[in-house]
Amino acid sequence: MRILLIRHGDPDYDHDTLTEKGRREAVLLAQAAPHMQIDHCYVSPLGRAKDTALYSLKALQKEAKTLSWLTEFPAVVDLNLSEELALAYPDVPRQDSRYEARNVIWDMVPSYWTEHPEYVDPEMWKQSLIAKCGDAVQVYDRVCREFDALLETYGYARQNRCYRVIRENTETIACFCHFGIICALLSHLWNVSPFVLWHGMALAPTSVTEIVSEERQQGIASFRALRVGDISHLYAGQEPPSFAARFCEVYSEKNRRH
């Protein structure tokens, strides 16, 4: 079985759609889509993912099923529950002595998470301060249950940290979704903390991550990556990758996200 996790194009977050650059990226992705041998398509309910998928679905002459849990990872952390969290998210605005809710929980500064090894532990992150001050664990567990339920319909049932093969399957599914949720799904497949991937990768808009099952022992499968964050379709179309999902390369770049 093959799983393609495809991030949306360059986003216009204010209007939940794509920028003009994002539409050019989506067109180039669609040109590559017919060569990906996709059998079934799924899409996040958010506009930027749907708008990205639209071009590829037309090229494939397919429809996509919308899955609510493929939305961008929607967990929230409440900084008002612990003063220590101001060290993790120093850029969060404060109004009337209260912090805004933080729904991009992986945007911790490195000086914080590197001093707290629980965030890179596959189990201990669920007892971390951020987990206690928000709904990250509940959201993560729900997403993983939904993902496993989908995989089971294709013949792979979660068993401990790998998958029992109910029936062999060589089909390919494509999920048009978002950076945060892609990292969460990969962390579940690979049995690592999602914070490792949230902080260790930056998947460019319209990038393709390809995961394939391996059945080295009959009836027991695991999943490995053949490519992560592939944007060769952008290079083929001479379209530079957009900066979304990244932070400034050097701090003096004032026009970049800090």
Side-chain angles (χ1 to χ4, degrees), residues 167-204:
R167 65 181 184 280
E168 292 184 351
N169 194 320
T170 57
E171 292 180 296
T172 296
I173 66 172
C175 298
F176 296 83
C177 48
H178 312 267
F179 169 73
I181 193 68
I182 290 174
C183 290
L185 298 179
L186 291 175
S187 75
H188 181 59
L189 288 177
W190 296 340
N191 302 297
V192 299
S193 164
F195 285 96
V196 172
L197 303 183
W198 285 330
H199 287 278
M201 299 196 304
L203 302 175

Side-chain angles (χ1 to χ4, degrees), residues 76-174:
V76 174
V77 59
D78 186 353
L79 275 63
N80 299 292
L81 298 179
S82 172
E83 284 296 324
E84 182 183 329
L85 289 179
L87 300 174
Y89 306 99
D91 60 336
V92 173
R94 201 170 186 173
Q95 186 174 5
D96 296 330
S97 76
R98 289 188 61 81
Y99 292 102
E100 294 180 3
R102 184 69 172 174
N103 62 359
V104 187
I105 65 171
W106 55 86
D107 279 356
M108 287 188 289
V109 291
S111 61
Y112 181 82
W113 68 262
T114 54
E115 294 297 320
H116 295 269
E118 62 269 25
Y119 289 104
V120 297
D121 186 280
E123 299 297 333
M124 289 303 296
W125 77 265
K126 294 186 175 184
Q127 284 79 52
S128 68
L129 182 60
I130 286 175
K132 293 175 182 176
C133 294
D135 60 355
V137 175
Q138 296 92 318
V139 171
Y140 181 84
D141 288 346
R142 177 179 61 81
V143 165
C144 292
R145 285 195 302 270
E146 296 282 6
F147 187 40
D148 283 341
L150 177 64
L151 294 182
E152 190 160 349
T153 68
Y154 288 96
Y156 296 85
R158 184 81 174 189
Q159 179 177 292
N160 299 321
R161 291 180 174 84
C162 55
Y163 289 82
R164 177 169 52 87
V165 181
I166 302 171
R167 65 181 184 280
E168 292 184 351
N169 194 320
T170 57
E171 292 180 296
T172 296
I173 66 172

Side-chain angles (χ1 to χ4, degrees), residues 38-84:
I38 297 170
D39 296 297
H40 307 283
C41 298
Y42 300 94
V43 65
S44 156
L46 296 183
R48 53 193 183 272
K50 283 180 171 291
D51 291 347
T52 300
L54 188 64
Y55 296 91
S56 290
L57 293 173
K58 184 177 181 180
L60 294 167
Q61 297 185 320
K62 291 182 180 293
E63 295 183 354
K65 182 177 181 179
T66 300
L67 299 177
S68 61
W69 54 270
L70 277 179
T71 191
E72 182 57 294
F73 193 74
V76 174
V77 59
D78 186 353
L79 275 63
N80 299 292
L81 298 179
S82 172
E83 284 296 324
E84 182 183 329

